[in-house]
Each structure stands twice: as C-alpha cells, then as structure tokens.
Amino acid sequence: MSITILGIESSCDDTSAALIKDEQLLSNVIANQDVHVAYGGVVPELASRAHQQNIIPVVDLALKRAGVEVKDIDAVAFTRGPGLLGSLLVGTSFVKGFSLARDIKMIDVNHLQAHVLVHFIQTDEQLKGPDFPFLTLLVSGGHTQIVVVRNHLDMEIIGRTIDDAAGEAFDKCAKLLGLPYPGGPMIDKLSKEGDPFRFKFNKPRIKNFDFSFSGLKTSFLYFLRDELKKDEKFIENNRSDLAASLQQTIIDILMTKLCSAAESTGINTIALAGGVSANSGLRDKVRELGKERGWDLFIPSFSFTTDNAAMIAITGYYKYLSGQFAGHDITPMARMHF
Ligand code: KG4
Ligand code: ZN
C-alpha cells in the first residue's frame, strides 16, 4: 500500500507545500517573500503576514500539480521548528485546522533533520539515496553542523558552529560590500570573476569538529575599514576579488572540518545540505576532495538546497512508517535539537 504525505514548510521566509507518494516527489511549490529585500534581512512580522497570505494558495497549487485530492492524503507533515515562531505558527495552525476538518493524521518535523533527508526524495534525476551511515555537512543561514546519519531518524550532531552560521558569514560580509540580502548568492556570482587568493582573512582555531565564523566577519570588517581609509573606492575597485577571497576562506574552514570528521569517523559517504550548499565554489571543492579521497558524494539539486516542503514530506514519510504522529496539542518551537 502506498502512502501519500502533504508537507508544509513555513519556518523562515519561504512558504512551501509538497506532495510525495512513498519516496516519489509529486509536487513542490515554493512562494518566496521579496518583501524582506528592502530591509536587508528577514523581518519576522512581515514573514508571518506573508505566510498567512501564501499558505492556502500554495497548498492548493501543490495538490493540483500533484493530481492529488485531499481524501487521498494519509498524513500532513509540518515544520515544528527550529525557526521564527510567528512563521512556524502559521504552518502549525493551518495544519491543525486541516487535520481536524478532514480527519488526517499530523506529523511534526524537525527542519534540520529534513534538510539532511533531502537525498532520499526520489525525482526523475535522483533515484537512490546514500547508504548508512553517512556524514552530512549542513550549512544554512541559521545552522552549520556536521551530522552522522545512522538511519533516517537516527542522527547525531558531532560538530556545530559556536557563533555565526556559514550563511550568516556570507550574508553579513556581503552587506559590508554593499550587496543586497541575501548576500550568499551574490558573493557566489561575483567570485566567478575574482581572484580567491588575493586577500587573506583570519581562520578560526576551534577544537574538534566545531566551527566559528564571527572572527572572520570581524577580520573582514577591519580589513575593509583600513583599506577604505587609504582608498575610498577600495570596495568598488576590488569587489570580485574580495568576494572570491571571502568565499575561499569560508570554503576552507568548512572543508578542513569535514575532512577531519570523515577521517576520524572513517565514514566515506558524504552529503551536503542547506542553503549554502548551493554555493558553486563549495560544490566544486567537495567534488574535487571527493575524487581525491574516494568519497561517495551526495550533492543536492539546487531546488532542494534552500527551504522547501519536499524535505518535510519525506521526513514525514519515514516518521509515518515508524508510527510517530503529533497530537493536536502540539506547539511550534523556535529552538529545537535532534
Ligand atoms: O537553508 P536556507 O534556505 O535557510 C535557512 O534555513 O537558513 O539557507 C539560506 C542561506 C542564506 O544565508 C543564503 O545567503 C545562503 O543560504 N545561500 C548561499 C547561496 N545560496 C543561498 N550562500 C552562498 N552561496 C550561494 N549560492
Ligand atoms: Zn533551512
């Protein structure tokens, strides 16, 4: 018997709904929120309002594209956290109403666990996920972690950032270069024309598999401040080299820890996940290292790097199989571990 899951994602600034039948993706609709660009970052109150406007049309479109009727849905999976509480509340409240009205089971999903499970979503391009155990480098706007994945629902974080996330480092430094939010994709684009070895920035010395990015941001800030004193057009004249050198430093920091985690755990199946895994420099470097070290590599397709409901639906599917459902008294959580 096959199982159809509706997934709902509303943890930050993307409203998304997806349908899967077993592990096969039927539809994945994402409504982005342009309203935040003018403010240089996500404004939580505006995000909640936009989710409220988007959620019903997005679910409706996902059902239509999948050719699924509400009566065919076995369970509705939703992001419980971590994320912005107001944004999470919109998804959770919608799901509670939907579940009560149509007598459909609810499944709560951890957003980070869902990012890790993207590799199991079956599409025309991807049929087979990684073998267990595998290591995931999860790099997003809010998180930077190395995760040992022993099974779909059995994961352990062995390294994490002690301050900023990799995505924050991209976004905050991009802002210093006068680039609009989110800065990560802009840095990626500019880097293609720049010299990655022109400037050197401080790299952290942190124990184990943990990360730190706040020192890099400060080093970048002070460097710009000093150079701008000498030449007020320094940023304008060196933007691509600055972007490329910054990106190179972030990739180096990430890859050093990933390599040592792979060596010390002896795990050679390596996956990337999260918004920053869209970065072309990072993807190239992981491929290069993968060839050198004989890694079995899993790099998500671009549509599954940033927030999407397909990853919520696939996680819901595995929780469905293990009988893990939520009650109607469930509440969203801004902070959440797994
Ligand atoms: O996973 P995600 O969509 O949202 C969170 O859960 O945080 O990640 C968003 C982050 C932002 O910081 C954005 O700048 C970064 O991913 N990002 C990139 C690229 N595309 C998105 N960073 C570097 N290069 C990219 N191409
Ligand atoms: Zn995310």
Side-chain angles (χ1 to χ4, degrees):
M1 195 194 78
S2 45
I3 294 156
T4 302
I5 308 275
L6 167 64
I8 305 284
E9 156 63 26
S10 73
S11 66
C12 190
D13 60 341
D14 295 308
T15 321
S16 180
L19 280 133
I20 58 163
K21 192 170 191 177
D22 299 330
E23 286 148 310
Q24 180 70 40
L25 183 67
L26 302 179
S27 67
N28 184 36
V29 176
I30 305 173
N32 307 115
Q33 303 180 0
D34 294 335
V35 64
H36 308 287
V37 175
Y39 299 90
V42 176
V43 183
E45 174 65 21
L46 296 181
S48 314
R49 291 185 202 182
H51 281 305
Q52 198 73 261
Q53 285 173 343
N54 291 341
I55 193 140
I56 290 179
V58 162
V59 172
D60 194 45
L61 188 57
L63 285 164
K64 285 199 179 107
R65 283 199 185 152
V68 166
E69 290 182 35
V70 174
K71 67 172 175 47
D72 303 324
I73 299 172
D74 294 291
V76 52
F78 65 99
T79 308
R80 184 183 186 195
L84 301 171
L85 197 72
S87 293
L88 293 164
L89 264 169
V90 177
T92 312
S93 308
F94 168 82
V95 168
K96 282 187 187 182
F98 186 75
S99 155
L100 276 168
R102 306 302 292 255
D103 194 21
I104 295 172
K105 288 189 171 78
M106 296 195 309
I107 299 171
D108 56 305
V109 168
N110 181 311
H111 180 87
L112 301 174
Q113 196 167 21
H115 267 301
V116 172
L117 294 179
V118 285
H119 301 284
F120 295 98
I121 303 166
Q122 286 183 9
T123 60
D124 294 340
E125 291 118 60
Q126 180 179 293
L127 289 173
K128 193 191 155 292
D131 291 330
F132 299 111
F134 65 93
L135 274 186
T136 295
L137 175 67
L138 170 55
V139 271
S140 74
H143 299 271
T144 301
Q145 302 174 338
I146 297 180
V147 187
V148 177
V149 189
R150 299 199 179 86
N151 214 317
H152 296 115
L153 303 177
D154 179 6
M155 303 181 187
E156 185 192 347
I157 299 168
I158 58 166
R160 51 164 62 81
T161 180
I162 59 163
D163 41 55
D164 289 350
E168 268 176 296
F170 270 109
D171 295 341
K172 287 179 178 173
C173 293
K175 204 170 176 177
L176 297 174
L177 293 180
L179 302 171
Y181 177 86
M186 301 289 290
I187 297 275
D188 191 354
K189 206 168 153 209
L190 281 168
S191 293
K192 295 194 170 114
E193 294 137 33
D195 175 0
F197 302 105
R198 168 105 185 271
F199 305 113
K200 295 266 172 287
F201 305 111
N202 281 356
K203 285 189 206 145
R205 287 200 203 112
I206 306 285
K207 276 194 281 180
N208 306 325
F209 310 126
D210 287 342
F211 300 93
S212 165
F213 288 99
S214 66
L216 169 62
K217 184 191 63 195
T218 313
S219 151
F220 195 67
L221 173 73
Y222 288 167
F223 175 74
L224 290 180
R225 193 193 55 187
D226 293 346
E227 294 300 323
L228 283 167
K229 275 186 204 151
K230 295 181 238 161
D231 168 13
E232 61 181 23
K233 292 207 163 159
F234 180 74
I235 292 181
E236 224 173 298
N237 294 337
N238 298 283
R239 217 186 291 271
S240 310
D241 289 347
L242 284 164
S245 303
L246 172 77
Q247 179 170 298
Q248 176 69 30
T249 311
I250 295 175
I251 294 171
D252 268 1
I253 296 171
L254 293 170
M255 290 302 103
T256 304
K257 294 294 175 137
L258 182 62
C259 289
S260 61
E263 274 164 26
S264 101
T265 57
I267 298 174
N268 278 322
T269 303
I270 308 287
L272 291 185
V276 178
S277 68
N279 185 268
S280 53
L282 179 66
R283 293 163 86 92
D284 289 349
K285 187 69 198 172
V286 168
R287 282 197 193 102
E288 186 190 315
L289 287 168
K291 257 194 203 144
E292 267 169 42
R293 291 167 178 250
W295 289 346
D296 193 11
L297 256 191
F298 289 81
I299 299 176
S301 67
F302 286 109
S303 54
F304 296 147
T305 55
T306 43
D307 292 345
N308 65 86
M311 67 186 196
I312 306 301
I314 193 83
T315 310
Y317 170 72
Y318 296 120
K319 289 190 88 170
Y320 186 101
L321 293 184
S322 71
Q324 297 180 42
F325 299 101
H328 284 114
D329 56 349
I330 193 147
T331 50
M333 290 171 79
R335 288 172 176 274
M336 217 176 147
H337 301 289
F338 60 81

